[in-house]
Amino acid sequence: MENKEKLEGYKFWEKLGRPTKLVAPMVDQSELAWRMLSRKYGAELCYTPMLHASVFLRDPQYRIDGLASCPEDRPLIVQFCANDPDILTKSALLAQDHCDAVDINLGCPQTIAKRGNYGAFLGENWELVTKLIKACHEKLSVPVTCKIRIFTDVEKTVQYAKMIERAGCQLLTVHGRTKEMKGPMTGLASWEHIKAVKDAVKIPVFANGNIQYKADVDRCINQTGVDGVMIAEGNLHDPCLFVGKKTIIWEIALEYLQCAVKYPCPASYARGHVFKICHHGLQRHTRARDLLASSKDIQDMKTAVEVLRDICTQSCGVGKENSVSDDALPMPHWFCQPYVRPAPKPKENRKERPSSTDSGEISKKKLKKMMKRCMKNTSLDLEGLDSAEKVKKLSKIIEAKPNKVTYDICVKCGNPSSTRCVFHLCKPCCKIRAKEVYVFCTVHRNFVPKTKQGNLATTDANLGKEQTVMDHIT
């Protein structure tokens, strides 16, 4: 690779084409086929899925899959997660000739990131974060970028961003949620934090969070002053979000499947994308959902999408003037639109909640356990009984069952032992002890001492020795 001047800050952003619409790095979801579809519908900068630096370094096939691209797939940034500057740098050096920049993931909030000590969980180790960025900035021929999550405190978030800038980051993406805000606790992203970071640093800043429609892109830029907006989940449910096109779910799903044929990817990736695109339609038409769930390849997925199309056309009159929809959605369910997570259910007060015995009810889990214990009982007949009656009958069966057989305990390890073992031990312990004292156990027979003539030593002297050993143990 010929030596090129490494651009920094806004010069680098201008070289990328001054992108304002970005598709986020998404594990198993921002693969080449999806990036090409997103670029067709307005995405100006894309990221690879997050790559584990250590795996990337040692696994050639993982490298090939992670760097899969084509000439039209630019500008492109490769994202890594890591917690070792040396490993991160070596991996980035292998990737730098295939991209326009290398991004360090400092924002992943998932439990696996906590176990692996990367992503947002590096946010409390600023010294390590500095080393990661600085190592890449000094050794790579392409710029280093970062993606972070905010802290609850605005000032701490600002100081963190400034530290990242000093370490050598040339472009910063700020997700306006803390690492605790995920799943049902996702909530709204704080554009206030993002604006504070933008006002404090001198490098380009991208915002991430709260983008569900095209109008949100312009609103976010106007309110925060950022240089661009990155979308993730909004893009998965509506790949045409950036252009504001009102798209029918099966049309865009079939178009994506064509991309997946042209730019092959694992079937699980493609199936996941179709589920997201058609989410609202599949919630209503479960026959198509079941077909998609059992699909094995692209053709099966295409069949499931076509079944969904036919069902919607026949039952909802899609494409006709009198099309009907009683969905509680902004648009009919056959259009691409955002998915809004339901609010978390309030936690019950355990002190005030009546117990199952007080209410005369029993949990399904407990009832299932009781039925399992009584499964061998041939007279078990619970048909037509309510919960309380089932519990009463099952309880009587359980009480009437004979107690479990009890065994002697091995005096050495505590496991069950044979009642007739000369040592009162289990079989493994008996073998060890028999060799130590050179005595034959007539029960376990796992060590056979020999006489000088080669015959089994079963003399009265040996039997007396067994008794002596047993007396010594007890």
Side-chain angles (χ1 to χ4, degrees), residues 20-26 29-30 34-35 37-39 41-48 77 229-232 235-236 239 242:
T20 59
K21 301 167 185 174
L22 295 77
V23 172
M26 297 174 283
Q29 293 178 317
S30 58
W34 188 258
R35 295 198 300 266
L37 179 70
S38 299
R39 290 181 189 279
Y41 291 105
E44 298 166 348
L45 173 61
C46 292
Y47 289 66
T48 65
I77 295 180
V229 170
M230 176 183 285
I231 61 172
N235 167 255
L236 295 176
F242 280 138

Side-chain angles (χ1 to χ4, degrees), residues 83-290:
N83 56 23
D84 184 308
D86 185 50
I87 291 176
L88 174 61
T89 304
K90 289 178 180 178
S91 297
L93 285 169
L94 294 173
Q96 66 178 0
D97 294 346
H98 304 274
C99 60
D100 297 281
V102 167
D103 186 81
I104 302 174
N105 185 320
L106 300 173
C108 181
Q110 303 304 324
T111 304
I112 192 172
K114 184 176 182 179
R115 289 199 300 266
N117 189 33
Y118 61 82
F121 297 93
L122 294 177
E124 300 301 331
N125 191 344
W126 292 20
E127 182 180 354
L128 177 56
V129 170
T130 299
K131 289 179 180 178
L132 291 169
I133 300 170
K134 193 172 182 180
C136 289
H137 177 59
E138 291 175 351
K139 297 180 181 179
L140 299 184
S141 61
V142 295
V144 180
T145 69
C146 295
K147 185 172 185 288
I148 66 171
R149 284 199 169 219
I150 62 170
F151 297 98
T152 304
D153 180 55
V154 175
E155 184 56 30
K156 184 176 181 180
T157 304
V158 169
Q159 292 304 319
Y160 186 50
K162 292 173 75 172
M163 180 272 293
I164 288 173
E165 179 185 24
R166 289 193 301 271
C169 175
Q170 304 306 319
L171 190 154
L172 181 63
T173 301
V174 183
H175 187 159
R177 295 183 175 93
T178 65
K179 66 178 183 293
E180 292 77 23
M181 298 172 70
K182 57 185 178 180
M185 303 303 295
T186 296
L188 292 175
S190 171
W191 286 359
E192 177 189 351
H193 285 69
I194 298 175
K195 185 179 187 307
V197 170
K198 172 59 185 171
D199 293 341
V201 299
K202 298 178 181 179
I203 56 176
V205 175
F206 295 148
N208 181 210
N210 297 352
I211 308 299
Q212 295 184 323
Y213 298 97
K214 183 178 183 298
D216 295 330
V217 176
D218 297 330
R219 188 165 59 88
C220 180
I221 293 174
N222 292 335
Q223 289 188 20
T224 62
V226 293
D227 302 287
V229 170
M230 176 183 285
I231 61 172
E233 194 161 358
N235 167 255
L236 295 176
H237 287 278
D238 184 4
C240 306
L241 186 151
F242 280 138
V243 294
K245 181 181 178 182
K246 194 175 179 181
T247 314
I248 294 178
I249 53 178
W250 53 80
E251 291 179 355
I252 197 70
L254 291 172
E255 187 174 354
Y256 164 71
L257 291 174
Q258 289 178 351
C259 289
V261 171
K262 185 176 181 180
Y263 308 104
C265 66
S268 59
Y269 294 12
R271 190 185 306 109
H273 280 302
V274 177
F275 263 114
K276 288 290 179 71
I277 294 171
C278 302
H279 172 81
H280 297 292
L282 295 172
Q283 288 287 95
R284 182 167 183 133
H285 305 293
T286 55
R287 181 184 162 212
R289 182 186 65 193
D290 294 342

